[in-house]
């Protein structure tokens, strides 16, 4: 159904449709007629959404900055969890992980061969040479921002440092592949190519996702892919890119005792970096890092 040009835009901006998303819809309709997979209106964030996502991101970035400053050998992952909870709540946010589908902590701390969803514990003491991913999501004013960083505890091996560095490069390659009216498959292709070129594998069981108005939204952002395929990346979409790169095989298994923590099948190291980003009319804006 064609909208009245002078009616309020469907995005909730309060602007007239002709001054807001009319041209966006025209572009989407042409792409749909060409047989492309296009995002629905529900995946597009308006200026108000983006304002609150950015505020959530500011808290989330501050949390990760604090951990970067404090992390050291001898610290427990439970201490990291307490830092996340305290900083987030003191700044008016809510740790999104806490209680999500029964998850017991405020953050995920994945050490060495833990791929993701490591549960903080007073029994897990970080030691010199460990690498740890801290994955943090913040809710502010009912909006979400999600990011993770790798931390090297003290001096780590050359092999561990290289994995951490290349994994960050993989995320950056994925971000570089994002362009307005480009393809979702370009992201996975860029990540996969860089990982394989460096002798690593890409985890397939977990992927990035839409985020902002909810914790996990469409689309799924896979970290393997084929260029010029998949959903069109339209301005207003917000999602994460969060490649998990393994030193050995890409296969993993889930800890049956806690039901959350994923480990590499061969026991070798894994690393992950994650950013939340916004597709704009002219490129991409990183919101949480």
């Amino acid at each position: 159904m064609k909208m009245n040009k002078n009616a309020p835009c469907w995005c909730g901006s309060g602007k007239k449709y002709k001054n807001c998303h009319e041209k966006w819809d025209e572009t989407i309709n042409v792409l749909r007629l060409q047989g492309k997979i296009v995002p629905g209106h529900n995946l597009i964030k308006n200026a108000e959404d983006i304002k609150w996502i950015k505020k959530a991101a500011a808290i989330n970035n501050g949390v990760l900055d604090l951990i970067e400053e404090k992390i050291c050998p001898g610290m427990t992952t439970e201490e990291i969890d307490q830092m996340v909870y305290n900083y987030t709540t003191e700044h008016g946010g809510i740790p999104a992980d806490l209680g999500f589908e029964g998850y017991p902590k405020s953050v995920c701390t994945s050490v060495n061969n833990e791929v993701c969803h490591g549960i903080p514990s007073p029994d897990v003491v970080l030691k010199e040479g460990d690498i740890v991913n801290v994955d943090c999501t913040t809710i502010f004013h009912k909006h979400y921002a999600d990011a993770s960083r790798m931390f090297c505890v003290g001096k780590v091996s050359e092999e561990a440092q290289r994995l951490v560095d290349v994994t960050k490069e993989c995320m950056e390659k994925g971000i570089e592949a994002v362009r307005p009216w480009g393809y979702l498959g370009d992201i996975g292709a860029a990540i996969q190519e860089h990982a394989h070129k460096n002798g690593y594998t890409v985890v397939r069981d977990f992927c990035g996702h839409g985020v902002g108005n909810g914790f996990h939204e469409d689309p799924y952002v896979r970290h393997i892919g084929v260029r010029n395929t998949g959903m069109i990346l339209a301005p207003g979409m917000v999602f994460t890119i969060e490649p998990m790169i393994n030193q050995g095989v890409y296969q993993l298994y889930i800890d049956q005792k806690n039901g959350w923590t994923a480990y590499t099948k061969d026991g070798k190291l894994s690393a992950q970096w994650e950013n939340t980003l916004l597709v704009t009319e002219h490129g991409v804006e990183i919101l949480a890092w």
Side-chain angles (χ1 to χ4, degrees), residues 103-145:
Y103 187 78
K105 297 292 183 176
S106 298
V107 69
C108 297
T109 52
S110 304
V111 184
N112 295 331
N113 65 324
E114 294 177 341
V115 177
C116 61
H117 303 155
I119 300 176
S121 168
D123 298 326
V124 179
V125 181
L126 298 176
K127 63 183 183 301
E128 184 94 10
D130 283 342
I131 59 172
V132 55
N133 177 265
V134 178
D135 190 348
C136 185
T137 306
T138 299
I139 308 170
F140 188 80
H141 201 269
K142 300 181 180 179
H143 288 73
Y144 294 71

Side-chain angles (χ1 to χ4, degrees), residues 31 36-37 39 177-187 228-235 237 279:
L31 291 166
K36 309 296 185 186
I37 303 168
V178 176
R179 65 185 191 283
W181 311 114
Y183 294 89
L184 192 60
D186 294 348
I187 298 171
N228 300 316
T229 66
M231 183 179 284
I232 294 295
L233 300 175
M237 293 175 71
V279 182

Side-chain angles (χ1 to χ4, degrees), residues 1-215:
M1 182 183 295
K2 193 168 184 179
M3 281 194 66
N4 182 322
K5 290 177 178 287
N6 292 308
C9 186
W10 50 259
C11 75
S13 66
K15 297 179 182 179
K16 292 181 178 180
Y17 176 57
K18 66 182 181 182
N19 297 325
C20 197
H21 275 94
E22 183 181 27
K23 289 183 178 179
W24 188 98
D25 274 339
E26 289 172 353
T27 302
I28 286 288
N29 288 335
V30 169
L31 291 166
R32 184 183 289 112
L33 289 171
Q34 293 174 352
K36 309 296 185 186
I37 303 168
V38 297
H41 289 170
N42 62 313
L43 300 190
I44 304 307
K45 308 301 189 285
N46 63 28
E48 185 76 1
D49 292 327
I50 293 165
K51 178 183 79 173
W52 293 115
I53 294 168
K54 286 182 174 181
K55 289 183 180 296
I59 298 171
N60 208 74
N61 296 340
V63 170
L64 292 173
D65 287 344
L66 177 65
I67 294 165
E68 187 165 2
E69 177 187 336
K70 300 292 186 181
I71 198 166
C72 62
M75 177 179 285
T76 68
T77 54
E78 176 71 18
E79 290 177 271
I80 293 175
D81 184 72
Q82 284 299 310
M83 279 195 288
V84 170
Y85 180 83
N86 292 339
Y87 184 99
T88 303
T89 55
E90 287 167 5
H91 288 79
I94 300 169
D97 287 350
L98 187 59
F100 176 75
E101 295 185 354
Y103 187 78
K105 297 292 183 176
S106 298
V107 69
C108 297
T109 52
S110 304
V111 184
N112 295 331
N113 65 324
E114 294 177 341
V115 177
C116 61
H117 303 155
I119 300 176
S121 168
D123 298 326
V124 179
V125 181
L126 298 176
K127 63 183 183 301
E128 184 94 10
D130 283 342
I131 59 172
V132 55
N133 177 265
V134 178
D135 190 348
C136 185
T137 306
T138 299
I139 308 170
F140 188 80
H141 201 269
K142 300 181 180 179
H143 288 73
Y144 294 71
D146 187 5
S148 80
R149 298 182 197 171
M150 289 299 300
F151 298 102
C152 294
V153 183
K155 183 174 177 57
V156 303
S157 69
E158 289 183 12
E159 293 83 2
Q161 186 67 61
R162 181 172 180 270
L163 176 66
V164 169
D165 293 344
V166 171
T167 302
K168 187 176 185 182
E169 291 167 6
C170 284
M171 181 190 66
E172 292 167 347
K173 294 287 185 183
I175 294 171
E176 288 170 7
V178 176
R179 65 185 191 283
W181 311 114
Y183 294 89
L184 192 60
D186 294 348
I187 298 171
I191 291 168
Q192 182 178 12
E193 289 165 8
H194 192 67
H196 288 181
K197 183 177 73 174
N198 283 278
Y200 298 132
T201 60
V202 183
V203 170
R204 304 180 183 188
D205 297 75
F206 298 100
C207 59
H209 53 87
V211 69
N213 295 347
F215 196 164

